[in-house]
Amino acid sequence: MTISRIQYTSRKLAEQLRGSPYMAVISITDPTTPEAKLDPLFRHVLRLSFFDAIPADEYMPALPGLFDHRMAAQICTFIEELHAAPFEISLMVHCEYGVSRSAAVALFAEALTGAPLDAREFTYEANQWVIDLLETHRKGLSINIPLPLLSHERRRAQRN
């Protein structure tokens, strides 16, 4: 089947989740922290480690700990293989706080697969460097980052 749903979250919440063979995980941690302790029932896991940083410019040589083209290629391959699987699977992306890196990868997965992204309107702080590198690996793919205003409108609508 395909990737049926995409969500993103913090490391803390990801580590509390009960695993499922029908949910794949892209686990993003800082290079200075240990791997996330995910339930072993998650059978499809891609682990990456890079800082939530944006280089001063695109010509800056690769610095240790920054997101790079090799990692972007790993994400592309992982998502495409999941999407081509003969069964339906959901995708969860987590990073330390569930705000910037995980949002960027989740937006890319949504654009690449067409699967719905939960809480998409809260991805407005997605890491632009991560998005830019992922887009270079899939020419013609355009990732639309929502404006912060959309999240405020959703919060107001929930109160009414």
Side-chain angles (χ1 to χ4, degrees), residues 14-143:
E15 290 179 330
Q16 294 173 1
L17 285 176
R18 186 172 180 189
S20 166
Y22 300 103
M23 178 180 279
V25 180
I26 298 177
S27 175
I28 303 168
T29 55
D30 287 340
T32 57
T33 62
E35 285 186 346
K37 295 176 184 167
L38 301 173
D39 189 313
L41 285 176
F42 290 119
R43 292 189 190 155
H44 310 283
V45 179
L46 173 63
R47 293 182 183 271
L48 299 169
S49 183
F50 59 93
F51 291 113
D52 187 12
I54 298 175
D57 64 53
E58 64 183 281
Y59 302 105
M60 180 180 243
L63 296 173
L66 287 182
F67 186 69
D68 60 25
H69 286 284
R70 180 188 54 81
M71 291 180 217
Q74 286 178 291
I75 290 170
C76 291
T77 300
F78 185 75
I79 292 171
E80 288 171 340
E81 287 175 358
L82 289 173
H83 201 52
F87 50 87
E88 196 166 288
I89 194 163
S90 61
L91 175 64
M92 176 182 58
V93 184
H94 88 77
C95 64
E96 294 296 331
Y97 296 103
V99 176
S100 181
R101 292 169 288 180
S102 58
V105 173
L107 283 167
F108 173 75
E110 175 196 45
L112 188 62
T113 66
L117 171 58
D118 293 353
R120 183 184 200 292
E121 64 274 17
F122 295 104
T123 61
Y124 57 87
E125 291 187 69
N127 183 304
Q128 190 64 53
W129 174 250
V130 172
I131 287 176
D132 290 346
L133 283 187
L134 288 167
E135 284 180 331
T136 65
H137 283 265
R138 292 301 171 266
K139 302 285 188 224
L141 190 68
S142 180
I143 299 170

